[in-house]
Amino acid sequence: MTTPLVIDTDTAQDDCVALLVGLLDPAADLRAITMVAGNVGFDQQVRNAFVTLSAAGRLGEVPVHLGCRRPLVRPWVSAENVHGDGSGGLSMDASGLEPEPEHAVDALVRLAAENPGELSIVAIGPLTNIAAALAKDPGFARNVGSLYVMGGSNNGRGNITAAAEFNFYVDPEAAKAVFAAGFDVTVVPWDPLTLRQAVFDQERLDVIAALGTPLSDFFGRVCAATLEFDRRVGIDGTTHPDSLTAAVLLHPELVRRSARYHVDVETAGELTRGYSAMSWGVHGLAANATVIEEIDSEGFFALLVEVLSRRTVPTREITGL
Ligand code: BDR
Ligand code: CA
């Protein structure tokens, strides 16, 4: 049985890896890719998504919809200092390649309404498109089967500030609206989960490089800039929160421990913009989200190795690969 899903992405680095999971894991039925403002320039993110589709050998098979080009109320904040262009300088002749004419928010609303309760959304960028879909269709949260969100930290460190993780920091108003909307939502946080269990150290990176497939080369290229940044800030490897989010939807057996929390997001704080307050049941607040606390890290790595082992032939030649 496959899981019908949409990936809502600010495509750069691990977003590319998450797309590979959605495109190549036999458990996935990827219905669409929706783009949202986040990591790097919007048009570059779209190029990165198309290059990733090509690397997977699936260019032209999955629709790409362009969504919100900036957060709901604030100016866009970039993570280009972390990700560079987000695809390690890979490029491709994009002539004749067009995103869908339908806006990402309309596509999300439509796809969820077509089969109420069946569609999963993996949201691995700022939550702007998801919040806009809520504003557009009051039935949206009800129609979405499950929403998997990469964002926030579970009473831990941020990455863009001491308090905040990037996706929630960029559009805190959107994140707040999403947690208030009544989705069946599961959260993959940055700290501690990603930092403890979804970092690939040199030993794991060597295993991937040794695969010698076009996809293992692709992985090395798209992760290179972030690896350099991570090492500068004391993280011993590449970080994979986005691909982990796709993986736990498709393979729930990877989750070793999760708990129900009340999650809310700070929009007013002077030092804490985008901070995710995750309350664990003792503060009188009703739970609105499942937060993943521990995964089978080896199993997750094995899944990515399996995906990257596939001998795909790029649909269009990728310069630099
Ligand atoms: C998140 O921010 C982005 O830089 C990554 O793609 C991930 O979604 C981690 O904070
Ligand atoms: Ca992302």
Side-chain angles (χ1 to χ4, degrees):
M1 217 181 72
T2 55
T3 301
L5 75 150
V6 171
I7 299 184
D8 188 70
T9 166
D10 54 340
T11 314
Q13 194 249 348
D14 194 41
D15 290 78
C16 301
V17 185
L19 288 181
L20 291 181
V21 173
L23 289 162
L24 296 171
D25 188 317
D29 171 11
L30 185 60
R31 302 274 170 92
I33 295 167
T34 54
M35 307 291 313
V36 67
N39 283 321
V40 302
F42 194 87
D43 295 332
Q44 180 62 39
Q45 293 183 160
V46 178
R47 285 193 283 278
N48 295 344
F50 278 127
V51 165
T52 307
L53 278 155
S54 180
R58 297 206 52 198
L59 191 61
E61 292 179 29
V62 178
V64 176
H65 298 264
L66 307 193
C68 300
R69 287 176 172 267
R70 45 159 286 188
L72 293 182
V73 294
R74 301 179 192 241
W76 169 58
V77 178
S78 120
E80 280 151 325
N81 63 320
V82 179
H83 300 301
D85 70 0
S87 63
L90 297 176
S91 64
M92 189 178 73
D93 170 16
S95 51
L97 274 183
E98 289 295 339
E100 299 297 309
E102 184 183 31
H103 192 275
V105 173
D106 294 322
L108 286 163
V109 165
R110 175 179 56 76
L111 288 163
E114 274 170 7
N115 295 295
E118 281 181 22
L119 184 74
S120 291
I121 298 175
V122 173
I124 53 177
L127 290 168
T128 320
N129 285 342
I130 310 300
L134 279 172
K136 182 144 197 175
D137 176 9
F140 182 62
R142 206 176 42 246
N143 288 340
V144 171
S146 62
L147 173 66
Y148 279 63
V149 169
M150 189 286 124
S153 282
N154 185 355
N155 301 294
R157 291 182 176 207
N159 52 13
I160 187 156
T161 66
E165 177 282 330
F166 178 77
N167 290 338
F168 287 5
Y169 178 85
V170 172
D171 200 338
E173 285 76 16
K176 188 176 181 68
V178 166
F179 284 101
F183 286 106
D184 174 359
V185 59
T186 299
V187 184
V188 169
W190 177 256
D191 187 33
L193 185 71
T194 301
L195 287 179
R196 290 202 191 147
Q197 294 202 276
V199 174
F200 293 176
D201 62 9
Q202 193 57 52
E203 202 179 311
R204 284 181 168 184
L205 295 175
D206 290 345
V207 171
I208 291 174
L211 297 172
T213 60
L215 287 181
S216 68
D217 293 350
F218 176 81
F219 176 94
R221 286 297 296 263
V222 303
C223 291
T226 314
L227 178 60
E228 226 181 282
F229 175 88
D230 286 339
R231 286 186 171 144
R232 277 205 305 276
V233 299
I235 300 171
D236 184 27
T238 54
T239 47
H240 298 283
D242 297 336
S243 46
L244 177 60
T245 309
V248 292
L249 162 68
L250 299 170
H251 302 283
E253 68 279 6
L254 289 174
V255 178
R256 290 232 170 108
R257 199 181 68 237
S258 64
R260 299 283 298 157
Y261 282 77
H262 178 88
V263 179
D264 202 348
V265 178
E266 179 62 75
T267 56
E270 201 182 319
L271 301 173
T272 54
R273 160 182 170 176
Y275 172 76
S276 52
M278 298 195 179
S279 171
W280 53 93
V282 297
H283 307 112
L285 298 166
N288 60 358
T290 298
V291 178
I292 299 183
E293 296 179 332
E294 190 185 337
I295 56 147
D296 169 3
S297 179
E298 281 305 322
F300 169 56
F301 177 63
L303 172 76
L304 284 198
V305 167
E306 194 183 307
V307 167
L308 299 173
S309 303
R310 290 170 179 264
R311 298 209 165 265
T312 53
V313 178
T315 322
R316 276 192 194 193
E317 194 185 340
I318 299 173
T319 310
L321 200 58

